[in-house]
Amino acid sequence: MNLNIRPVLSRRTFLRGSGVMVALPFLEAMSPRRLMGAVADPDKAPVRLVFIHTESGMWMDAFKPKAFGRDFALTPTLEPLAAFREDFSVCTGLFHAAAFKRNACGRHCQDTTCFLTGADLGAVPGVPSRNTVSVDQVAVRHLGERTRFPHLHFSPGGIDSIVYSETGTPIPAETNPQAAFNRLFADQSPEARAAAKRRLALNKSVLDDVLESAKDLEKRIGNQDKAKLDEYLTNLREVERRTQVSEKWLDQPAPSVPEGAKEPSDGGTRSERIRAMMDVTALALQTDQTRVVTLQIGGMGCTYPEIGAPDGYHKYTHEDPKNMQKVDRHRMTHLAHFLERLRSIKEGGRDLLYNSSILYGSGMGSWHESTDLANLLIGHGGGTLKQGMHTDYKGKPLSSLFLTMLATAGVEEKRFADAGDRLSL
């Protein structure tokens, strides 16, 4: 019996235009068919937004202060931040309710996949897993065109991305501190700019050239594939838009490397690479080349033999709280290093730490099912944030904290994920 299991489309199908071919994402039609089926104030320093993620949670007994309000004592995990006691607040009792729903993503979806989106991955009927836009990209909608780089995404450990586009597609991170530095302070000679313009011209308006091919393709695929194709084309339009923004910035002189700054190495221990990437982040913010940065400093498989923690961090979360706490505290020393760098950079009578809103945290607590998450809000948001507090928000959406951060940078969003109001700080 012939079941006619030939695919509707070849996996080698391309959208073709005049002189260009664009590869498609994998569509169901490529599988064998079966019978069953805000305006900036020029007189005020801009507020920078930084989102720092440390995967797999923290040991909450050593992180969470016992007292609330202003009189809390620093816990063992927070002690490395003693010099910044008035520059941060501990925000506990927050979580992503929608991300805790069980779906195809598995038990870690509330952490890496949904940390900055707060999404219910199973919300679309018939689609096993569909993410939504991450909060950093919401900021990019409003702030991205004001700087040379709309957004920088760094992951010195090469961890899976936590940044998602408007269509819920992951955006890859830069993993090499040296490459990140060279991207910021690239050759700006007339010859280099001309070469860059030629490269951009090759990418520009490719989408317009293949739309007719896409329209023909839509007639031969099912509704689910049409939705996926539309998502793909939306991403291409975004790439095209950002290409046009990049072309505009090519004609603007890039900043020189700040005095004393050095190009980092492309090697070293995990700790050295994290701190090098934090230094690059500080340089990017100092030179106002971007106002939105996402930085992933810890993953499930992270090892720190230099501090006597040679096994993967995820193993410690299941069976070794002592080493889990050791790694948590070590990561706080990285954070303290970054905050000191920001505080040393003066601007507008203040410093860069004052003019920043920084999230440090995770989408998990001490275990998979924890609804009490470990998150810090750091910096003064240009004077809009009152710091030095520990507050238990008793189950409020973590996304409410995101709305608060966006507002400090002049991004007025009424809703994000499951949150419809900001946190009171």
Side-chain angles (χ1 to χ4, degrees):
M1 180 173 62
N2 182 5
L3 296 181
N4 184 22
I5 59 173
R6 290 178 298 173
V8 176
L9 296 175
S10 165
R11 294 192 187 192
R12 297 180 181 178
T13 301
F14 293 85
L15 298 182
R16 300 176 185 270
S18 56
V20 296
M21 290 194 307
V22 178
L24 286 166
F26 182 79
L27 302 175
E28 284 191 357
M30 296 174 184
S31 299
R33 189 191 301 177
R34 303 187 184 277
L35 293 178
M36 300 296 292
V39 179
D41 180 351
D43 297 323
K44 185 177 180 182
V47 171
R48 283 65 158 211
L49 299 176
V50 183
F51 303 88
I52 303 176
H53 180 242
T54 170
E55 189 179 2
S56 288
M58 286 183 233
W59 186 246
M60 294 295 286
D61 286 350
F63 168 83
K64 185 176 178 179
K66 298 294 187 290
F68 298 98
R70 299 193 61 84
D71 297 327
F72 68 91
L74 292 176
T75 58
T77 297
L78 294 176
E79 282 175 356
L81 301 182
F84 306 94
R85 181 67 174 74
E86 298 303 317
D87 298 308
F88 74 90
S89 290
V90 184
C91 303
T92 54
L94 296 168
F95 82 114
H96 289 316
F100 268 63
K101 297 177 181 178
R102 288 289 164 252
N103 51 54
C105 176
R107 303 182 75 193
H108 281 265
C109 65
Q110 72 268 27
D111 189 6
T112 304
T113 309
C114 297
F115 179 56
L116 293 183
T117 71
D120 175 1
L121 298 180
V124 180
V127 179
S129 180
R130 174 71 62 82
N131 212 338
T132 56
V133 65
S134 53
V135 63
D136 50 343
Q137 297 306 296
V138 174
V140 168
R141 286 180 204 159
H142 301 266
L143 307 176
E145 295 190 12
R146 300 178 187 177
T147 54
R148 184 174 302 277
F149 300 103
H151 168 250
L152 293 175
H153 179 201
F154 297 143
S155 178
I159 308 156
D160 289 343
S161 178
I162 61 171
V163 176
Y164 287 82
S165 70
E166 297 285 352
T167 57
T169 304
I171 297 175
E174 173 59 67
T175 62
N176 187 315
Q178 187 179 73
F181 179 92
N182 289 334
R183 185 181 174 198
L184 290 177
F185 304 106
D187 182 2
Q188 291 295 309
S189 66
E191 296 78 13
R193 287 202 300 273
K197 284 187 176 183
R198 288 194 296 271
R199 289 194 299 271
L200 287 174
L202 291 175
N203 296 327
K204 193 176 179 182
S205 300
V206 167
L207 182 61
D208 290 339
D209 221 9
V210 298
L211 279 179
E212 285 303 315
S213 179
K215 290 177 182 177
D216 177 67
L217 178 63
E218 282 186 313
K219 300 173 184 178
R220 298 186 287 142
I221 58 179
N223 288 335
Q224 188 166 324
D225 278 348
K226 285 180 182 178
K228 189 178 291 187
L229 178 62
D230 181 66
E231 175 183 322
Y232 181 68
L233 293 176
T234 299
N235 284 337
L236 284 182
R237 290 188 186 97
E238 178 60 17
V239 169
E240 183 182 40
R241 186 189 71 80
R242 293 192 181 186
T243 298
Q244 292 166 350
V245 173
S246 297
E247 185 177 38
K248 178 191 74 173
W249 279 98
L250 275 177
D251 294 324
Q252 304 296 323
S256 357
V257 181
E259 185 178 354
K262 297 180 180 179
E263 179 180 332
S265 165
D266 63 353
T269 65
R270 178 181 298 278
S271 295
E272 289 168 340
R273 289 172 68 84
I274 288 172
R275 294 200 179 197
M277 200 66 97
M278 286 178 157
D279 290 343
V280 172
T281 299
L283 288 172
L285 300 176
Q286 176 183 3
T287 55
D288 202 29
Q289 296 201 63
T290 191
R291 295 176 188 175
V292 187
V293 180
T294 308
L295 179 60
Q296 297 173 245
I297 69 166
M300 290 196 294
C302 286
T303 61
Y304 296 90
E306 64 269 29
I307 64 167
D311 296 322
Y313 183 75
H314 186 241
K315 177 181 178 181
Y316 298 146
T317 68
H318 283 276
E319 58 186 55
D320 192 347
K322 182 177 180 181
N323 267 325
M324 186 178 179
Q325 177 188 336
K326 182 187 294 186
V327 174
D328 293 344
R329 181 184 173 102
H330 182 60
R331 288 173 174 169
M332 287 294 175
T333 67
H334 297 329
L335 179 60
H337 169 84
F338 179 57
L339 300 185
E340 184 55 47
R341 288 283 292 111
L342 297 186
R343 191 163 63 179
S344 70
I345 299 169
K346 307 303 179 183
E347 60 174 22
R350 297 285 188 172
D351 56 55
L352 194 48
L353 179 56
Y354 182 87
N355 291 323
S356 297
S357 294
I358 303 165
L359 174 71
Y360 178 95
S362 175
M364 288 175 59
S366 295
W367 53 83
H368 293 288
E369 310 303 330
S370 173
T371 58
D372 186 6
L373 305 184
N375 284 277
L376 303 176
L377 180 61
I378 311 163
H380 298 267
T384 61
L385 297 175
K386 296 179 181 179
Q387 297 289 25
M389 301 285 290
H390 172 211
T391 304
D392 181 355
Y393 288 100
K394 302 184 183 302
K396 284 190 175 182
L398 178 57
S399 295
S400 289
L401 180 57
F402 298 165
L403 289 176
T404 299
M405 292 183 66
L406 290 173
T408 66
V411 177
E412 299 292 337
E413 291 283 330
K414 293 183 178 179
R415 293 199 63 85
F416 183 77
D418 57 348
D421 57 0
R422 307 170 195 164
L423 293 185
S424 54
L425 298 170

